[in-house]
Amino acid sequence: MKRLKKVCCILLLVSMLGGCGCQREEPLAVVVEKVEVTSHHGAETLERTYTKSAKISAILNYLRWLRPKFGADCDPEQIPGDAYTITVTLSDGEQEIYEQKTNGYLRKDEGRWQNIDPEKGIMLYEIISQMGSDETEPKITKQKLMRQ
């Protein structure tokens, strides 16, 4: 009789826990849908939007490659120089915002500034200046081009 009660309790517990899994509201996998980069490089401003996986991967690989370390010993916002904002939009609607300043500092989501290798930091401008934005032209512009 005790075994039967234990088996029934275990089956009841398993069925209750199994039902909880069906009520999950979060997506099973979160992917990057879009990356937007704004660059203030001297007097030049570049704005790029990337939706193609190869271009998104280039930016994400750059961020992984930087390997920020230690807290910054100064306030990079007070230092004149290049400034970049990288906005990563995820499939669940969340965004991660990275800021890079003077090729030597990086922070995520308004956290603490961290030091990065300036020789690596300069590569962001090289990457985005060679990759055009993935945004398409408005349909009206395409129709005008077809008629001419």
Side-chain angles (χ1 to χ4, degrees):
M1 207 53 171
K2 287 184 179 182
R3 279 190 173 174
L4 184 59
K5 285 183 182 180
K6 286 182 181 179
V7 169
C8 287
C9 286
I10 290 172
L11 290 174
L12 180 63
L13 182 61
V14 168
S15 66
M16 286 174 34
L17 292 175
C20 292
C22 295
Q23 297 172 3
R24 187 175 177 162
E25 293 181 21
E26 300 173 12
L28 293 176
V30 178
V31 296
V32 176
E33 289 187 341
K34 176 173 62 171
V35 173
E36 298 168 287
V37 181
T38 302
S39 162
H40 300 283
H41 183 74
E44 177 184 48
T45 298
L46 295 175
E47 293 183 353
R48 302 281 198 255
T49 300
Y50 303 119
T51 55
K52 295 181 181 175
S53 61
K55 292 179 180 181
I56 288 173
S57 292
I59 300 298
L60 296 179
N61 288 338
Y62 167 78
L63 289 170
R64 285 185 201 108
W65 180 62
L66 284 178
R67 300 191 187 273
K69 54 188 171 220
F70 313 113
D73 54 354
C74 62
D75 182 7
E77 292 186 60
Q78 304 302 320
I79 302 172
D82 298 346
Y84 303 87
T85 303
I86 302 168
T87 305
V88 178
T89 303
L90 306 172
S91 60
D92 64 357
E94 294 291 319
Q95 289 187 325
E96 296 175 352
I97 300 173
Y98 297 86
E99 294 176 88
Q100 181 178 316
K101 185 75 173 155
T102 68
N103 301 326
Y105 304 96
L106 182 76
R107 73 176 175 178
K108 178 181 176 186
D109 295 329
E110 295 190 24
R112 249 182 96 166
W113 286 102
Q114 295 186 331
N115 294 322
I116 58 174
D117 182 350
E119 290 181 15
K120 290 181 178 180
I122 199 166
M123 294 304 297
L124 181 57
Y125 179 76
E126 299 296 322
I127 292 168
I128 65 170
S129 65
Q130 294 174 11
M131 288 192 317
S133 187
D134 289 340
E135 299 237 321
T136 58
E137 297 176 334
K139 290 183 179 179
I140 298 170
T141 306
K142 288 182 179 179
Q143 289 173 351
K144 286 181 181 178
L145 290 174
M146 286 188 243
R147 290 182 186 163
Q148 293 177 345

